[in-house]
Amino acid sequence: MITFSGVQPSGIITIGNYLGAIQNFNPNSSKENNLYCIVNLHALTSNPDPLLFKEQTKSLLALYIALGIDQHSTIFIQSQVKEHTELAWILQTLVKMGELERMTQYKDKSNNNKENANAGLFTYPVLMAADILLYNSETIPVGQDQLQHIELARTLATRFNNKYQEIFKLPVAKLNKKGAKIYSLNDPLKKMSKSDPNPKSYISILDDLKTITKKIKSSTTDSLGEINYDIENQPGISNLLTIYSLCKNITIDQTIEFFKDQKYSFLKENLIEAIWQILEPIQDKYYQIIDNQKIIDQVLKDGQKIAKQKAEIQMKKVNKVVGLYD
Ligand code: AMP
Ligand code: TRP
C-alpha cells in the first residue's frame, strides 16, 4: 500500500503544515511504500523569484531530513521526475473546465480574478492528481483544504479506468483528526499559511524562541476571559488549545482539564514552552544538515531513483492503453 503526499516549497513550513500533515506521514512502512514529494512545479504557480525558490526547495528538503522522514520514506523533487507533467497532460484531456472552476483553492488563490490568474493555478489539481496516480498511491495524508483535490483525483482515476483500462487505484485522504486545520494566529477564521504576507499569523518551524514568544503573546483571543474549546464563539482560544494538544500529544479534553479556570496568559506561556519543546531539536538538526550538501545530494539521488523507476513503469502502461506512440 503506497502512501504519498506533497508539500510546496513556497516558504518555510509552519506548525500548521507540521501538525496538520507532516506529523501524520507514516513512519511504519518501507521507503518503497512511503513517497513524499517536494512539489516545486506546483509552487511555480505563485511565480517565485528563481534564486529564493531554489533555496526554499533545499530548505524544505533539509527540514524533511531533520524530521527523520528520509529514514522511512522516499523524498524527492517533483521536477526531477518528468513523468508527473506527462501524466498531467493526459489527465487534462479528461478533466472538465467546470470541475476545475469549482475548486475552492483556485477561487481563493485567484481572488476570483480570472484575467490575472495564471492557467497553472487553474490546472493545479490535475498535476496533483497526476502526482498521486503515477504511483498508484492509496493513502494521502493531507490537511482538510486538500480534500476537494483528492476527490478530483478519484474522479479522474475512475474516468480514465472506465475509458481505457483499469490502471489507477483510487486514493483516499488521511486526515489528522485534531490537526486537520490549524488557524492563523491573528485571524483565527483563516487557515494558518506559510504564504501569508503577515508573519505574525503563523509560527514557522524555524522561528526562534523569542519570535515564537512574541507571536503567541500577540495572538488573537477574545474578551470572554474563560478557557473553553468553542470554535464558533472562541476560535482563537480553541486554535491555541488544538496546537497545545497536538504538541503535547494529548486529547482536547485533557488539554481543557489542564487549563480550566486559568488565565489566557497561563495558556500562552505553556503553549510557547510546548511549541519550543517540539521545534528546538528539529532546528538543531536542520542547521547541521543545511550546510551538509553531501547528505542532501545523497537523499535526493536515492529518492529520484526510486520514484523514477515506479513512474516509468506506470507511464509505459498509461501510454500504451491511451494509444500514444511511446
Ligand atoms: P501547503 O503549505 O499548501 O503546501 O500544504 C502542505 C500540507 O500541509 C497539505 O497537506 C496541507 O493540507 C497541510 N496544511 C497546510 N496548512 C495547514 C494548516 N493551517 N492546518 C493543517 N494542515 C495544513
Ligand atoms: N496541493 C497540495 C497543497 O497545496 C500539495 C500537493 C501537490 C499534494 N501534490 C500533492 C498533496 C499530492 C498531496 C498529494 O498542499
Side-chain angles (χ1 to χ4, degrees):
M1 172 112 94
I2 304 264
T3 299
F4 182 101
S5 196
V7 174
Q8 299 187 59
S10 51
I12 306 292
I13 55 174
T14 69
I15 51 164
N17 293 123
Y18 179 65
L19 300 173
I22 294 172
Q23 208 189 31
N24 220 9
F25 285 1
N26 179 11
N28 307 315
S29 189
S30 68
K31 283 198 178 205
E32 293 278 333
N33 291 340
N34 266 334
L35 306 174
Y36 296 115
C37 183
I38 297 181
V39 291
N40 55 347
L41 296 172
H42 277 108
L44 203 53
T45 57
S46 59
N47 300 129
D49 167 75
L51 278 183
L52 184 68
F53 189 30
K54 222 169 162 185
E55 277 309 304
Q56 283 174 338
T57 306
K58 180 176 162 188
S59 167
L60 183 54
L61 185 70
L63 259 176
Y64 274 12
I65 301 172
L67 293 168
I69 293 171
D70 63 311
Q71 300 300 315
H72 53 73
S73 306
T74 297
I75 306 174
F76 68 103
I77 294 183
Q78 191 183 30
S79 63
Q80 292 195 327
V81 182
K82 306 288 184 221
E83 284 76 4
H84 287 250
T85 41
E86 197 181 345
L87 181 57
W89 179 259
I90 294 175
L91 297 177
Q92 273 192 62
T93 65
L94 293 179
V95 75
K96 315 274 182 231
M97 301 275 281
E99 283 168 333
L100 293 179
E101 265 167 11
R102 283 194 289 278
M103 294 289 125
T104 54
Q105 184 168 304
Y106 160 69
K107 285 191 230 169
D108 289 349
K109 287 197 174 172
S110 64
N111 289 324
N112 280 321
N113 181 351
K114 276 195 203 169
E115 274 309 306
N116 274 330
N118 66 69
L121 212 49
F122 187 59
T123 56
Y124 176 111
V126 184
L127 179 59
M128 176 161 164
D131 297 340
I132 295 170
L133 302 180
L134 194 52
Y135 301 97
N136 264 336
S137 324
E138 290 180 81
T139 310
I140 321 295
V142 281
Q144 216 168 42
D145 59 328
Q146 297 303 316
L147 291 183
Q148 205 187 17
H149 291 162
I150 291 174
E151 207 43 54
L152 183 74
R154 288 171 66 89
T155 303
L156 293 180
T158 309
R159 198 169 291 157
F160 182 99
N161 288 347
N162 289 340
K163 182 171 163 64
Y164 298 110
Q165 219 179 80
E166 195 85 14
I167 287 190
F168 297 133
K169 290 211 167 122
L170 299 192
V172 179
K174 183 173 147 208
L175 283 184
N176 181 355
K177 283 197 180 59
K178 280 179 293 179
K181 195 160 181 182
I182 305 290
Y183 293 87
S184 152
L185 294 177
N186 65 348
D187 179 359
L189 300 178
K190 256 182 27 192
K191 184 184 97 159
M192 181 183 284
S193 166
K194 58 177 153 15
S195 48
D196 195 302
N198 183 356
K200 275 189 158 176
S201 68
Y202 56 78
I203 303 279
S204 145
I205 207 150
L206 295 181
D207 278 345
D208 59 23
L209 180 57
K210 209 169 137 203
T211 311
I212 296 170
T213 305
K214 258 200 218 146
K215 287 181 178 178
I216 295 292
K217 287 214 162 145
S218 67
S219 64
T220 302
T221 52
D222 52 60
S223 52
L224 270 170
E226 230 179 72
I227 297 186
N228 300 300
Y229 188 77
D230 178 349
I231 296 180
E232 210 156 284
N233 300 311
Q234 296 186 264
I237 288 293
S238 303
N239 190 36
L240 300 184
L241 290 170
T242 301
I243 300 174
Y244 184 86
S245 78
L246 287 167
C247 288
K248 287 287 192 186
N249 201 13
I250 58 173
T251 64
I252 286 289
D253 284 346
Q254 288 168 319
T255 308
I256 297 166
E257 187 55 35
F258 181 65
F259 287 114
K260 170 176 86 175
D261 302 329
Q262 294 288 352
K263 291 207 164 88
Y264 288 176
S265 56
F266 180 78
L267 166 61
K268 287 186 168 181
E269 277 152 24
N270 276 274
L271 180 58
I272 292 163
E273 220 174 276
I275 293 174
W276 189 237
Q277 234 174 32
I278 298 263
L279 296 191
E280 190 182 21
I282 296 175
Q283 294 184 10
D284 284 350
K285 268 194 121 172
Y286 170 84
Y287 288 113
Q288 286 166 23
I289 289 158
I290 195 75
D291 290 327
N292 192 335
Q293 194 63 39
K294 242 180 151 177
I295 292 189
I296 292 183
D297 289 344
Q298 192 58 47
V299 169
L300 267 190
K301 202 170 147 210
D302 295 349
Q304 185 189 19
K305 190 169 166 218
I306 294 178
K308 183 110 187 121
Q309 217 170 24
K310 289 179 186 291
E312 276 176 359
I313 295 172
Q314 183 81 324
M315 273 321 288
K316 267 214 168 328
K317 284 193 210 161
V318 169
N319 285 336
K320 190 166 170 219
V321 302
V322 170
L324 287 166
Y325 273 101
D326 192 9

